[in-house]
Structures are given as structure tokens and as C-alpha cells.
Amino acid sequence: MHIQTPGPGLYDELFDENNKVRPHCRMLEQWLEKSDENLIAEKRREANVLFQRLGITFNVYGEEQGADRLIPFDLIPRVISASDWHKLQAGLRQRVNALNKFLFDIYHDFDIVKAGVISAEQVFANPQYQPGMQALKLPRNLYCHIAGIDLIRHSDGDFYVLEDNLRCPSGVSYMLENRRMMMRLFPELFAHSPVAPIDHYPNLLGETLRAASLKPDPTVVVLTPGRFNSAYFEHAFLARQMGVELVEGADLFVHQNKVFMKTTVGPQQVDVIYRRIDDDFLDPLAGNPQSMLGVPGLYSAYRTGNVVLTNAMGTGVADDKSIYPYVPDMIRFYLDEEPILKNVPTWQCRKPKDLQYVLDHLDELVVKEAQGAGGYGMLIGPKASQKEIAQFRSLLKARPDDYIAQPTLSLSTCPTFVDEGVAPRHLDLRPFVLSGKKIQMVPGGLTRVALKQGSLVVNSSQGGGTKDTWVLEDDL
């Protein structure tokens, strides 16, 4: 099978700058070379049928009035060397540790604000900041129990953190199902490759959620908005894998500041809620009064300490894109360490000098909404039309505080099955970091791939696909 080599100036996960196969990818390249194209095509069809039966779909807004469709799954895995993962793992632990300390600080002592590292306005005027969380004591002082950290590898070969997802990060079910699918379709690959396992993630997640409570044997539930949510498959999948109840808001009620679950044998007190609902919709008495998704009185029970929410309310302030540039400073401030993982250089449009630079270089930069997600509300300058650039220019002038800008990075590429054969496509990586009694993660994460040639947008909501992520247990 012919594999197209990458273009110049890009970092490719399979080929080096001389188009030679990287040592830790030799077994993958040998498999691709001897694979029959017809057999692979049949395996791709089989994977689509199996994913459809499992209900692994995603809502792509704007297509067919938001109809669910399959997330495209690519059969060629992304391989990460043991040495690369060792550095990534250390950097992720460091980053999430600092972010949790930042969240505790901005709701308690405000040391980082008093020290002038970050302005009071950027913290306390942030729409995700929850004043009601101030001085609230949480078990182990943890706010973010489950984090999804988006990474890219630049043309220089280094990994950069693109953004931190600390509210309700999604995608881990696809990571797990991608591995199961690869093991089902190509068991012989795993027999001869030292690929680190990831199937223990549900056990680690369950352990993390139980550790969120100080009770010896807490009752844990997964709170979902319901089956019309685009990530409902994941909510149901994780509840099933952990052996806990999947509930909607109507399944819970609050009595005397305690949360109970309705069961066939009577009410059962709930101690930990792994919530997949945004802050504003959790309790119509404290947030959006129109919310039908939450539980009336939940916020009061939470503040009383009778139930734990994972992740905590108010974590969104730490993954706001206008706060992102300060994470390296958080690491230095709270841990007295130098950051292991790099940030992408960022211009904050709230600053007049940064805004002027961005306006002068819109055709070169990526502009994002500070509160944006899912690949929406962003401008990729080098690929934008003059009309799109003009529209963003007007938005930036009208609401500069709502935007940040970054250079257009060269996301690394990986061979991917596309209509024209096997060709390089851009990708990122979202490892999932769990914070409980200790910080844990399974090797790898969810690799998302942009299926359109030249596209840098990997989000599933924008039509991107996924790959299995292989972390080798030792470098070959």
C-alpha cells in the first residue's frame, strides 16, 4: 500500500524530515506496506457498521439540521514513543496540579491576584467565576477532578498545550472504543507491539470519583442532560463501565440540603455527582431559572457539603482562553517550577498593544473567542476570505475582551485513510488527567484528525475524525 509522504516544513508522526520512518514506527510502516487495500477497505466498512450499532454518533451542527452522524474513525493509529510520553505525563501532572491550586486560590486567599501575577478584573469579572464558591471548603481542595488537555506537536517537534478543558471534557469514550475496535479488527498488531493498555480508565475514573468524597463508600452517579445531548453515548458508556447509575435531573431531588436519587426501593442519598451539565443549568433556583436539566436546591446542598460535584462549579474560569496565557506563571507561582510543557504564544485582545498587533496581522493569525469551544467562533487567518477577515476585524474592535489570537501553528501530520489513498492529515491529542488522592492518567488520549486536506480544524463538531493512540511501553 502506497503511503504519501508529508510536505516540507511539517512534523510527521511516521516520517522524519528525510522521509525515513521513525524508529518507533517501523512496525506500523511494515504493517501498512504489506496490507491489502481491499482488506483495509472492508475493515473500514466493518468498523462503521459496528460503531453505528453501538450508537457512537455526534451532532454536527449545520449539517442536515443537526442530524447525528458517525464520528469518522481512521484505522491507522497515531504512535507515541515511550520517551515522548514520559515527558508529556510529567508535564500534564504539573499543569493540572497548578490549575487546581489556582482554582483554590481564587476562591480563598487570592494570593496570585495580590501578587500582581494576574489582574483582579480578569479573574473576578470572568463570566465563569462563581462568587458563591468563595470560602467553600471542598474535599482535598480539588476543583478539577477530570481534565482534558489539548496538545499539538509543532514543526519543531515539541508538544504545545493548545487549551485546557476543565468543565465537562468529553471524548474519553471514543478513546476507549477506538482501542477496542482496533483490537477486534487487527488483533495480530497488538500481539507484536508493546502498546500500553488503556482499558483500565473506567476503574481509574471510578476511583477518582469515589475519592472526591470523604465518605468511606460514597454513592456516585453520572448526571446527563439526556439522550438528545450530542455526548449522551459517552455519559451512558462511562456510567455502565463504572457500574454506577446514569441519571437525569428529574431522577434526583433535594431534601433537607441532601441529594437523593429516586429508586424502585425508595430514595437513596447521593454523595458524588459526575455532572455533564454546565454550571448555569445545574440548579434552576441558583442559575438559569428556565433550566429543565438540573435539580432544584442542588447548589444549596453543594454549599452545605452534603454532595460533591465533579468537576466543581466555577472551574470554567481556569480554562477560559484569556486565562490560558497565565498558566506558565501559575506553575512558577504555586509550584516554584519551570513549565515542562510549552504554551502557544497568545495575544490578549483586551490589551491595546496586543489588539493593534492582531488587527494588523489578521491574515496570519488564528483568532478565538475566549469562551468559545468546539471549533466554533474562530478565524484561521491564512485560510480565511477577505470578507471573513473584515467581519472579525469589526468583532475585535467592538468586543476586544472576548477574543485572543495565536500564531497559525503547523499541527503535526499522520498517515490517514482518505478517498485518494493514504495521505498525511493534521491532528491533535487530548489526554485525560484524573485528580483524586493522586494525579493519574492512562497512556495516550483521544487523537482527533482533520480529514480535509490542509485543514487544521480537528473538532468532531466540525467534521473531524479520530484515531487510536498508541503509547509504546518501551522505545524500539
Side-chain angles (χ1 to χ4, degrees):
M1 182 183 299
H2 175 68
I3 307 171
Q4 291 184 32
T5 52
L10 297 174
Y11 186 98
D12 189 78
E13 301 289 337
L14 180 63
F15 296 104
D16 65 18
E17 62 276 10
N18 298 314
N19 286 332
K20 301 293 184 182
V21 177
R22 299 186 186 279
H24 65 277
C25 293
R26 284 179 187 142
M27 47 79 186
L28 177 62
E29 188 264 347
Q30 292 168 0
W31 172 68
L32 288 171
E33 286 290 345
K34 66 183 183 182
S35 293
D36 178 75
E37 291 189 25
N38 292 327
L39 175 62
I40 293 295
E42 179 58 36
K43 294 289 188 181
R44 292 175 70 188
R45 287 191 289 271
E46 184 180 346
N48 286 339
V49 170
L50 291 171
F51 278 139
Q52 188 74 59
R53 287 177 181 170
L54 289 169
I56 306 177
T57 59
F58 201 92
N59 193 303
V60 181
Y61 301 103
E63 287 189 6
E64 298 180 7
Q65 299 177 338
D68 281 351
R69 69 165 177 79
L70 284 175
I71 297 178
F73 171 60
D74 186 65
L75 295 181
I76 302 177
R78 184 247 193 95
V79 183
I80 298 174
S81 68
S83 54
D84 276 347
W85 178 248
H86 180 75
K87 179 181 178 181
L88 283 176
Q89 189 175 45
L92 290 166
R93 282 198 176 105
Q94 178 193 60
R95 191 175 183 96
V96 171
N97 186 17
L99 284 165
N100 263 312
K101 290 181 181 299
F102 170 72
L103 284 163
F104 176 82
D105 185 23
I106 61 173
Y107 289 115
H108 290 81
D109 302 322
F110 320 117
D111 289 336
I112 199 166
V113 174
K114 293 173 184 175
V117 176
I118 186 170
S119 72
E121 179 190 2
Q122 281 199 263
V123 174
F124 304 127
N126 189 294
Q128 294 296 323
Y129 188 80
Q130 295 279 354
M133 291 292 291
Q134 289 185 1
L136 180 61
K137 178 68 175 176
L138 298 181
R140 306 183 204 284
N141 295 334
L142 286 175
Y143 287 73
C144 179
H145 306 81
I146 303 104
I149 310 298
D150 290 347
L151 305 166
I152 60 100
R153 199 201 291 259
H154 188 34
S155 55
D156 60 8
D158 279 344
F159 282 95
Y160 290 73
V161 177
L162 196 58
E163 63 182 56
D164 306 291
N165 299 280
L166 309 180
R167 300 177 223 185
C168 304
S170 64
V172 75
S173 61
Y174 308 114
M175 173 191 81
L176 294 167
E177 288 293 6
N178 287 351
R179 173 60 56 84
R180 290 180 179 181
M181 186 63 69
M182 286 297 292
M183 294 185 76
R184 175 170 180 161
L185 297 178
F186 306 105
E188 70 281 0
L189 271 176
F190 294 88
H192 303 99
S193 304
V195 180
I198 61 171
D199 58 346
H200 57 298
Y201 177 86
N203 292 335
L204 294 183
L205 177 60
E207 178 184 315
T208 299
L209 295 176
R210 289 188 295 274
S213 172
L214 299 181
K215 287 189 174 183
D217 187 23
T219 297
V220 178
V221 299
V222 177
L223 176 61
T224 176
R227 64 187 184 89
F228 294 108
N229 183 268
S230 60
Y232 179 72
F233 165 79
E234 175 158 302
H235 307 162
F237 174 88
L238 291 175
R240 184 171 64 251
Q241 293 295 310
M242 290 188 290
V244 304
E245 294 295 333
L246 177 70
V247 299
E248 298 183 27
D251 300 318
L252 303 177
F253 67 94
V254 175
H255 178 64
Q256 296 182 343
N257 276 336
K258 295 180 180 179
V259 180
F260 293 88
M261 171 174 51
K262 302 171 187 175
T263 76
T264 56
V265 293
Q268 179 180 358
Q269 186 174 347
V270 173
D271 304 303
V272 179
I273 299 176
Y274 177 24
R275 51 86 171 228
R276 301 299 293 262
I277 296 175
D278 291 339
D279 286 0
D280 202 33
F281 296 91
L282 279 171
D283 182 351
L285 301 181
N288 187 336
Q290 304 298 318
S291 174
M292 301 292 290
L293 304 176
V295 185
L298 176 59
Y299 187 53
S300 178
Y302 181 48
R303 281 197 54 80
T304 307
N306 291 327
V307 69
V308 176
L309 295 176
T310 59
N311 287 336
M313 294 183 72
T315 55
V317 65
D319 71 8
D320 186 290
K321 293 179 179 62
S322 68
I323 299 295
Y324 160 89
Y326 296 97
V327 178
D329 294 325
M330 294 176 199
I331 293 170
R332 298 183 184 102
F333 185 79
Y334 295 115
L335 307 180
D336 195 23
E337 299 171 358
E338 281 301 305
I340 297 171
L341 298 176
K342 297 179 180 179
N343 257 30
V344 177
T346 302
W347 290 272
Q348 300 181 64
C349 297
R350 63 169 53 240
K351 298 180 178 180
K353 287 185 178 180
D354 284 12
L355 174 62
Q356 191 56 56
Y357 180 88
V358 172
L359 291 172
D360 292 342
H361 298 83
L362 269 178
D363 59 339
E364 305 169 11
L365 303 173
V366 175
V367 182
K368 302 176 181 178
E369 288 182 323
Q371 295 288 320
Y376 296 102
M378 64 186 290
L379 174 83
I380 301 179
K383 297 183 181 297
S385 66
Q386 290 301 312
K387 181 180 178 181
E388 290 170 329
I389 289 175
Q391 288 174 339
F392 261 80
R393 188 180 303 278
S394 298
L395 289 170
L396 287 168
K397 289 179 177 179
R399 297 184 285 113
D401 289 9
D402 294 346
Y403 292 91
I404 59 98
Q406 296 172 330
T408 306
L409 297 183
S410 302
L411 277 66
S412 65
T413 59
C414 184
T416 303
F417 284 111
V418 291
D419 290 341
E420 56 267 37
V422 179
R425 290 292 185 267
H426 295 289
L427 40 68
D428 78 352
L429 176 66
R430 176 178 290 182
F432 296 89
V433 186
L434 303 174
S435 299
K437 293 180 180 178
K438 57 184 177 179
I439 299 176
Q440 305 180 90
M441 67 200 83
V442 296
L446 177 65
T447 289
R448 301 180 298 179
V449 56
L451 298 176
K452 296 177 183 177
Q453 185 174 4
S455 174
L456 300 174
V457 181
V458 300
N459 305 76
S460 300
S461 55
Q462 299 288 301
T466 65
K467 289 174 171 283
D468 190 14
T469 307
W470 288 10
V471 172
L472 300 185
E473 294 186 307
D474 55 72
D475 289 335
L476 302 176

